[in-house]
Amino acid sequence: MKLKNIHLENYRNYETIQLAFPNSLNIFLGENAQGKTNLLESIYVLAMTRSHRTNNEKEFIRWGAEFARVEGEIEKKERIFPLEMAISSKGKKTKINHIEQRKLSDYVGALNIVLFAPEDLSLVKGSPQGRRKFLDMELGQVNPHYLYQLSQYQSVLKQRNHYLKRIYETKKTDQNFLDVLSEQLVESASHVLFLRYQFLLKLEQHAQKVHQKISHGKERLTLSYQPSLPIAQETTKEEIKAIFLEVLKKNQAREIAKQTTFVGPHRDDLFFLVNEKNVQTFGSQGQQRTTVLSVKLAEIELMKEEIGEYPILLLDDVLSELDDDRQMHLLETIEGKVQTFLTTTSLEHIENKMKSTPDIFYVTNGQIERKSESV
Amino acid sequence: MQYPTPIAKLIESYMRLPGIGAKTAARLAFFTLDMKEADVTDFAKSLISVKRDLHYCSICGNITDEDPCDICKDTTRDRSTILVVEEPKDVMSMEKMREYHGLYHVLNGVLSPMDGTGPDDINIASLIQRLHDEEVTEVIIATNATTEGEATAMYLSRLIKPAGIKVTRLAHGLSVGSDIEYADEVTLLKAVEGRREL
């Protein structure tokens, strides 16, 4: 997959610019606060219709303008077609090949991307919540059925917790109704858990290969899902349902007292193990970084497997966070096959590691100058 | 300068309607001022009438001006089947079909603890009472295909089935006259799950 060009109108600090990307490697170079990440973000927005940086989408619109628009031509499976995403005070409008797409799920997925930003480095060290979000986002991008089951699960969970609260307050239990809510919860949970296990199995295969290469064969990476229920990889959907129901039954009195559902996919975690040891607690800073890098690169391979083409890779200021060896591996893995956009404040460390000639875009205060440099 | 009290009050009243803000309310109020007196009187009368003359049917819970409602009174209808819906407007939709000749039961809500609605807050007790008193052989549950509608359907079936009454649920899947190409993945999945033999 390739992004052939992009056209921004009133997007953040850009009034109107047009950039062509004939090359595979594109570098947005410039000092801080010049608009490098805005450019990268606009590509993310074109793909996902929202930003990785903010929830306030009015920020996309340039100060004083009525609307913001991002357009881009995509080359996918030998077809070239335009994508358009416009936002005004009235809302968002998305078009594929000039045809308006009213449903978000019909638009997202036309342009597949993998983003690697400094925040991702906390994937290993950070909270279980962050790791669940990572799972949900990545799995959701390739599997719409997962998104549906997850939203079902979340809404039933909310209903059930409200009902537990009501039981606590009124001291009256309608066992039939509580059972119905439990049954609905268990149904969607079984799909969510099953799909998560399947996805992690594939992600692990790819991540293992990458990790082995980066660590020169010294380290073996395994991904270990940590369910809050007594289940495992091999547990079938039917078994998950039965086990979950059993646990809910056992916990009922305590759950009413605490007015919340104790276990389920919303309480699970994911461990990254290197040579059987949890990287979060036993890994060095470097091992943690290698792990995140392996997982991110595995995502690229996994997407290729799911959609038949490599996604586009966005690297937001992460090269500076990696050491020479890891930079090498990253560039080696992507060069020539994955179209990549990266932001950086200096070329110093990366120049000699690139085999092909990148397109360099100098970003100064919302102005962009393009240069092809020979390395 | 402020609006004279009568018009200010009217604006305030219009603003209580859903989807109407201050500007639209002011426009409607001034429009009302220009209307013929007879039309305005009619309008006011119908507003009062919906509140005063409409009641919930004591049998099925539908809105009606007479109790019991026309459908419950109708002796030509099939009294062995009851179709359960969430809202009075769902009865209208079903009646437009002209193919269903049984009775109805309107829950006037759906089970949603999040919105403070539990089993005691919607017309479930009166449905169970009806099943005791009348000769009903089938209950068709036509709540919406939302998680709340599903929960309500599952709950009702748990209450009714033990009494030996047949409980059925409306089918999910493709809408008639639609192309498979335009159906979303989840609808298609439901359609495949609910497929039937030809």
Side-chain angles (χ1 to χ4, degrees):
Chain A
M1 195 174 308
K2 253 186 143 181
L3 179 64
K4 309 277 286 178
N5 55 53
I6 197 161
H7 180 191
L8 303 184
E9 255 177 287
N10 298 325
Y11 188 84
R12 291 210 186 246
N13 62 334
Y14 297 103
E15 193 176 332
T16 168
I17 55 161
Q18 227 160 344
L19 298 172
F21 307 116
N23 229 322
S24 164
L25 185 57
N26 301 280
I27 298 178
F28 301 137
L29 181 69
E31 297 292 311
N32 287 324
Q34 301 298 315
K36 298 186 302 289
T37 299
N38 287 352
L39 269 181
L40 208 68
E41 182 195 50
S42 74
I43 300 175
Y44 190 90
V45 168
L46 186 66
M48 311 292 277
T49 76
R50 46 185 191 75
S51 165
H52 62 290
R53 291 198 296 177
T54 174
N55 286 325
N56 181 8
E57 289 163 343
K58 297 277 176 301
E59 284 176 24
F60 298 162
I61 305 170
R62 194 172 64 95
W63 190 251
E66 300 276 308
F67 67 93
R69 182 166 25 231
V70 185
E71 282 172 88
E73 269 189 325
I74 311 300
E75 185 182 328
K76 189 178 185 179
K77 299 192 173 138
E78 274 147 44
R79 268 185 60 212
I80 297 180
F81 57 90
L83 285 186
E84 182 184 327
M85 137 87 206
I87 180 163
S88 69
S89 54
K90 288 195 192 99
K92 286 190 263 195
K93 241 186 198 170
T94 49
K95 290 181 188 171
I96 300 178
N97 202 8
H98 307 292
I99 298 163
E100 188 172 343
Q101 308 290 319
R102 284 176 192 279
K103 266 165 65 188
L104 187 68
S105 56
D106 289 338
Y107 181 81
V108 175
L111 173 60
N112 302 94
I113 49 164
V114 169
L115 168 79
F116 192 4
E119 302 89 86
D120 288 316
L121 289 170
S122 63
L123 179 65
V124 174
K125 269 193 293 186
S127 64
Q129 198 184 358
R131 285 184 286 276
R132 283 195 296 269
K133 195 177 157 209
F134 158 80
L135 259 178
D136 295 342
M137 293 277 293
E138 302 315 327
L139 190 42
Q141 227 193 112
V142 290
N143 192 337
H145 180 53
Y146 178 76
L147 277 188
Y148 169 75
Q149 293 294 353
L150 184 70
S151 74
Q152 292 280 304
Y153 179 77
Q154 283 162 343
S155 83
V156 176
L157 181 67
K158 232 186 198 170
Q159 294 283 17
R160 191 172 186 273
N161 286 343
H162 269 92
Y163 191 59
L164 289 171
K165 196 171 167 200
R166 182 150 162 166
I167 293 175
Y168 179 78
E169 283 163 2
T170 60
K171 308 266 172 265
K172 264 195 338 202
T173 312
D174 183 333
Q175 192 60 45
N176 265 327
F177 187 41
L178 187 58
D179 287 350
V180 163
L181 290 173
S182 301
E183 221 171 275
Q184 274 192 312
L185 190 74
V186 164
E187 172 69 32
S188 48
S190 71
H191 290 280
V192 168
L193 288 168
F194 188 77
L195 290 169
R196 280 187 186 173
Y197 270 117
Q198 270 191 331
F199 173 77
L200 284 173
L201 200 64
K202 284 192 209 160
L203 188 69
E204 186 185 56
Q205 275 176 5
H206 291 294
Q208 233 161 35
K209 270 188 238 156
V210 183
H211 196 92
Q212 203 163 24
K213 231 172 102 188
I214 305 180
S215 65
H216 304 290
K218 277 182 275 181
E219 292 178 1
R220 191 184 142 80
L221 175 69
T222 38
L223 307 183
S224 165
Y225 190 69
Q226 300 291 312
S228 49
L229 290 163
I231 55 167
Q233 174 77 51
E234 315 75 50
T235 318
T236 65
K237 279 187 213 167
E238 290 309 313
E239 286 166 349
I240 295 176
K241 277 190 232 174
I243 292 168
F244 199 174
L245 271 180
E246 195 56 43
V247 173
L248 288 175
K249 213 164 127 194
K250 213 179 70 203
N251 286 346
Q252 183 171 322
R254 285 193 306 132
E255 286 194 335
I256 292 170
K258 292 274 181 223
Q259 307 160 46
T260 184
T261 305
F262 293 154
V263 291
H266 66 293
R267 297 296 279 271
D268 295 354
D269 199 354
L270 173 66
F271 285 173
F272 300 92
L273 309 175
V274 166
N275 296 339
E276 314 294 318
K277 283 200 186 110
N278 190 347
V279 195
Q280 190 184 6
T281 38
F282 298 105
S284 69
Q285 189 91 288
Q287 277 177 323
Q288 291 179 346
R289 285 183 179 204
T290 310
T291 303
V292 175
L293 184 61
S294 306
V295 171
K296 280 282 156 184
L297 293 177
E299 248 180 69
I300 297 174
E301 292 296 331
L302 186 74
M303 267 208 195
K304 155 112 195 226
E305 197 181 294
E306 297 282 330
I307 56 181
E309 246 183 315
Y310 280 112
I312 286 166
L313 179 65
L314 306 179
L315 299 173
D316 189 5
D317 215 8
V318 281
L319 281 184
S320 54
E321 304 270 346
L322 302 171
D323 62 22
D324 282 359
D325 205 31
R326 294 194 186 91
Q327 287 181 359
M328 267 305 234
H329 272 284
L330 176 61
L331 293 169
E332 231 171 66
T333 321
I334 58 175
E335 273 203 302
K337 47 183 190 183
V338 184
Q339 194 189 20
T340 304
F341 298 85
L342 66 89
T343 64
T344 182
T345 46
S346 113
L347 285 174
E348 215 177 303
H349 293 286
I350 44 179
E351 230 164 0
N352 52 0
K353 298 191 188 76
M354 288 176 294
K355 285 192 221 101
S356 59
T357 319
D359 269 348
I360 299 174
F361 300 87
Y362 291 90
V363 184
T364 355
N365 206 4
Q367 296 298 312
I368 297 163
E369 203 185 331
R370 176 176 159 184
K371 266 181 207 162
S372 278
E373 272 198 7
S374 50
V375 179
Chain B
M1 143 135 199
Q2 285 181 337
Y3 288 125
T5 312
I7 202 135
K9 272 189 160 172
L10 185 58
I11 292 175
E12 202 191 309
S13 302
Y14 276 130
M15 276 171 68
R16 290 189 197 164
L17 300 176
I20 292 184
K23 279 188 181 161
T24 312
R27 222 179 74 216
L28 290 175
F30 280 102
F31 183 81
T32 314
L33 195 65
D34 287 342
M35 277 164 74
K36 283 193 204 133
E37 187 163 345
D39 288 346
V40 175
T41 314
D42 262 1
F43 187 20
K45 272 188 188 155
S46 22
L47 279 178
I48 294 166
S49 157
V50 283
K51 276 322 269 188
R52 277 204 196 135
D53 306 336
L54 273 190
H55 315 277
Y56 290 112
C57 171
S58 58
I59 299 173
C60 70
N62 197 2
I63 43 167
T64 174
D65 47 356
E66 287 171 61
D67 193 20
C69 70
D70 289 345
I71 294 175
C72 289
K73 269 194 302 200
D74 190 343
T75 48
T76 64
R77 295 187 81 109
D78 171 13
R79 308 196 77 84
S80 67
T81 322
I82 292 181
L83 190 139
V84 182
V85 294
E86 289 177 21
E87 304 291 340
K89 42 183 206 288
D90 300 334
V91 173
M92 298 299 160
S93 308
M94 286 290 168
E95 280 298 285
K96 267 191 226 152
M97 172 175 75
R98 288 167 182 272
E99 281 300 318
Y100 176 73
H101 303 296
L103 302 175
Y104 290 96
H105 194 84
V106 184
L107 295 174
N108 279 309
V110 65
L111 292 178
S112 174
M114 227 156 67
D115 306 306
T117 320
D120 300 336
D121 304 311
I122 56 177
N123 287 335
I124 291 178
S126 60
L127 173 64
I128 305 301
Q129 194 57 47
R130 277 177 87 180
L131 299 179
H132 272 293
D133 300 347
E134 296 166 37
E135 284 299 308
V136 177
T137 52
E138 182 177 356
V139 174
I140 305 169
I141 302 178
T143 49
N144 291 332
T146 55
T147 39
E148 291 79 19
E150 283 303 320
T152 311
M154 283 161 75
Y155 180 74
L156 288 176
S157 113
R158 272 169 186 253
L159 292 186
I160 300 167
K161 257 197 181 152
I165 298 168
K166 186 170 158 194
V167 182
T168 51
R169 178 91 175 97
L170 290 193
H172 297 303
L174 292 176
S175 48
V176 175
S178 68
D179 273 12
I180 286 184
E181 186 191 346
Y182 296 119
D184 61 278
E185 289 84 355
V186 177
T187 305
L188 277 178
L189 192 86
K190 289 275 176 204
V192 171
E193 278 174 1
R195 69 189 183 277
R196 60 195 171 82
E197 205 174 318
L198 293 175

